[in-house]
Each structure stands twice: as C-alpha cells, then as structure tokens.
Amino acid sequence: MLGNYTDYLGKYDPDLADAIGREENRQQSYIELIASENFTSKAVIAAAGSVLTNKYAEGYPGRRYYGGCDHVDEIEVLAIERAKELFGAEHVNVQPHSGSQANTAVYMAMLKPGDSILTLSLENGGHLTHGHPKNISGMLYNVAHYGVSEETCMIEYDAMEELAHKIKPKMITIGASAYSRTIDFRRVGEIAKSCGALLLADIAHIAGLVAAKLHNSPMDHADFVTTTTHKTLRGPRGGMIMCKKEFAKEIDSAVFPCLQGGPLMHIIAGKAVCFKEALSQEFVGYQQQVLSNAKILCNELKRLGFKIVSDDTDNHLMLIDLRKNYPDINGNQAQRALDLVNITTNKNAVHNESRSVFQASGLRLGTPAVTTRGMKEPEMIKIADLINRAMLNLVANNDSSQIKEEAIALCDKFPLFY
Ligand code: DSN
C-alpha cells in the first residue's frame, strides 16, 4: 500500500498539500451541518486513494473493452453484490459518477425528448435533476410538478394522484434534497401504477436510513431507485442505480456508453467498502443516532423560536424558514453569519420562495456528519444554542467571537479520525 498520501504530496507539491491540510483543519474545527455531507471512514479513503485510479475499465465485469481487468472486475462485482444485499435490489449499476448522472441515465434509458415527467420542484425540496429548467431534465422533457400542502408543507399525495391522472406522465420522480418528512413510497407506487407511469425513487438523502430500515424502502414500489453514496450512506462521492432485472440492459447502456466512459474504479472500490460498512449492526446504531440527533436539534430550535418547515423532522435534516422570526435576514446572510462562528450550513429555498436562489429564505441543517463525529443529544442542544446566539448577534450587529470559540471547543472534543 502507498501509506499516508499526504507525506508524498507534501514533498512533491507543498502548495496543494497545504491547501488540503487547511481543508482538513476546517473539517476538524467547524460544526458540519450540511445535510448532504458526511465523513467517510479511513477504509473508504484508502480505497478511493488507491492504485485503482490508474485503471481503465470501460464496459462491465466480464465484458470490458480493456485488458487487465480481472481485479477491477472482482471489485465491481463485490460492490454490486453488497449493494444488492443492502437494499434488496434485483439489478445494480455502481458506475454513475454522481447522483445527477444516475438520474439522467434513468431518463435516457426510458424516456424520449418531449415525454412528460411529474416531479417535486426544487423550491419544494426536490432536486435540480427533477426537471429544473436549467438542468438537462428540464430541457429535454415536458415537466409538471406536484407540490406540498400550503398548510403543512408536506407532500400532498391526493393532489399528486389527481395531477398524475390528468397529465398521464411517462415517469414520476419521488425523492428530495430538502424534505424532512417520511416519504410514502407505497402510496406513490400505487399512484404511478394507476396512471401507467414508471416510478423513479431518488433516495440520495435518505439512503443510509433506508439501508438501516429506519425509513420505508421504495424497492418494492419503484421501477428505478437512484442514490448518491456519500450522504447518509457515508461512502465516497458517487452515484448508483438500482432497478428491476427487466430494465437492466437499458440502464447499463444508458450509463455506459450513453453518458459515461471509463468508470472510476477507485470510487467503485470505495462504494464497496461503504456497502460493507452499511451492512453492519454499527451502521444501524449510527443511523438511529442521526435520527435522534435531528429530532433533538429540531425541537430545541423550535423551543428557541425558530420556524421549522413542516414543523418537524422524520429524517436526518430540517429546514429553518427565516421569514417569520428574521424577515430582514436572508438565507445567504444567515449562512455567512454561521460560517463566521465555525458552523457550516447552506441557504435553501423554501415553499413559496420570493427571494433569488442566491439569497433564499431558508437554511438547511442535517445531522449525519456531526453524528459520525460522535456528537449526541447534549451537543445538539449546544449547537442549537450557538445558532440562536449567532442569529441574534447578526441582527443586533454584535460580535460573535465567543460563539466561535465555543464551536471550536466543541469540535475539539470530537476529533476527526484522519
Ligand atoms: N443533493 C444536493 C444536496 O442535497 O446538497 C446537491 O445536489
């Protein structure tokens, strides 16, 4: 094995090594609340930083366009078999470089330009690849959106059903990047079946919870399930598609050669490690703590007066709607104020958003990364307090250096293990 890569890098390219070192320090000294981020294990990093980055392997195990693929074949099969076991999938493609590539591959496999899709819009918690006009999905397909209730901000399944019957979409997409409530995959599956639509479930955010059986699984209800591997699943950055056997050929051809060339074998190896970890009992405990931490953080923020979209969380994330308590502060200002006290979050659009995407009126928070560091309920209460004080200081234009010191002290108690 190559050993500690930073030693090599430090000697050859100190400028780059310094920048990586500074990023490592940032990760160590900031409270990471970005809901889509996490800290992988050393084993995942070792696989992703291995000699596998040298290998071309266009094609699939046993059917490659290059020689010398025996070992990478074995690695890709390991990743596929572990993913099948983890999610109960009939067919798995582990090659998508990202969740966006995975979603696009499903569209390319099953849709023709002009076909209609029914999805959740970005401002209601969906994803760019769910038909946003600036994404290829919005450019190629005829997009209609189902929404969330004005009152509860939760997905309205009855309205979705009505719309689905009216539009008769070729495909329905269910899944979200900023939706904090349980998704009823059975219900959406029934809606899709009743109007003859294919169903794509994008579980990128909740994949770890689904794997740990702490969120209902779409596997029996959706034709296609896509995910990223780096969010709650805690693997390397990447994507994956799961589908019924009958669609295996179309999906594989849509990933390669339609959308991608050579698969990233070092990342596929990292995915294999991630799936092994996710099959363990320890992983279930981790996901339980993610949920419990999210609940405590959410309740404490509410107690401190913050308005939470849909008033609760059932998963790893929550969305603060700043419009009620902080009408003059936008999401970007809040994000920056928290950055200054070593708390990393991201601004996010909220239902009926009136501000631009660069400002937004919401702030998204998630607990996967802080939970990986070992933080539990007392730390969630402390984090809510830090957020509250930083926001009050932002409004009052007060100095927040004391809050920053407390955030760093909290991080110091839960060191990263790299
Ligand atoms: N999946 C998005 C997020 O949740 O951050 C990024 O595309």
Side-chain angles (χ1 to χ4, degrees), residues 207-404:
L209 300 172
V210 171
K213 300 191 172 32
L214 296 170
H215 188 292
N216 73 86
S217 168
M219 215 52 72
D220 291 337
H221 313 293
D223 302 287
F224 309 95
V225 178
T226 55
T227 186
T228 52
T229 47
H230 50 271
K231 297 186 176 94
T232 47
L233 208 45
R234 210 166 55 175
R237 305 194 71 77
M240 173 164 82
I241 305 172
M242 296 171 273
C243 66
K244 294 181 178 158
K245 262 203 188 116
E246 61 184 289
F247 300 118
K249 201 163 171 292
E250 285 102 320
I251 288 296
D252 287 353
S253 309
V255 174
F256 170 83
C258 176
L259 278 179
Q260 295 184 178
L264 307 176
M265 293 315 305
H266 52 308
I267 298 300
I268 289 175
K271 290 173 186 173
V273 176
C274 153
F275 302 146
K276 182 180 164 86
E277 291 171 354
L279 282 161
S280 70
Q281 200 47 44
E282 182 276 331
F283 188 77
V284 176
Y286 161 66
Q287 296 295 342
Q288 278 162 341
Q289 192 64 52
V290 166
L291 288 179
S292 163
N293 281 353
K295 204 58 146 183
I296 300 279
L297 182 59
C298 180
N299 286 342
E300 190 61 11
L301 286 168
K302 276 164 60 179
R303 196 186 66 75
L304 292 167
F306 285 91
K307 180 170 161 39
I308 303 292
V309 173
S310 90
D311 202 40
D312 203 355
T313 177
D314 302 323
N315 59 25
H316 63 298
L317 68 81
M318 67 216 67
L319 205 53
I320 295 176
D321 187 341
L322 295 163
R323 292 174 298 191
K324 182 165 167 255
N325 305 57
Y326 296 94
D328 299 327
I329 304 284
N330 65 47
N332 191 44
Q333 291 166 315
Q335 178 192 308
R336 279 181 17 225
L338 292 176
D339 246 332
L340 291 175
V341 297
N342 287 34
I343 297 176
T344 317
T345 61
N346 69 276
K347 58 182 172 286
N348 212 104
V350 289
H351 182 56
N352 289 332
E353 182 61 78
S354 55
R355 291 182 165 118
S356 80
V357 283
F358 296 109
Q359 294 188 325
S361 302
L363 206 57
R364 187 181 65 162
L365 314 177
T367 55
V370 287
T371 307
T372 294
R373 290 183 81 150
M375 294 188 193
K376 292 196 166 81
E377 286 78 357
E379 289 74 40
M380 297 306 113
I381 288 168
K382 177 71 184 170
I383 289 171
D385 169 61
L386 297 176
I387 291 173
N388 186 41
R389 284 162 53 206
M391 289 299 294
L392 293 173
N393 278 354
L394 172 64
V395 174
N397 210 12
N398 284 341
D399 177 69
S400 278
S401 46
Q402 170 63 27
I403 302 172
K404 180 179 169 128

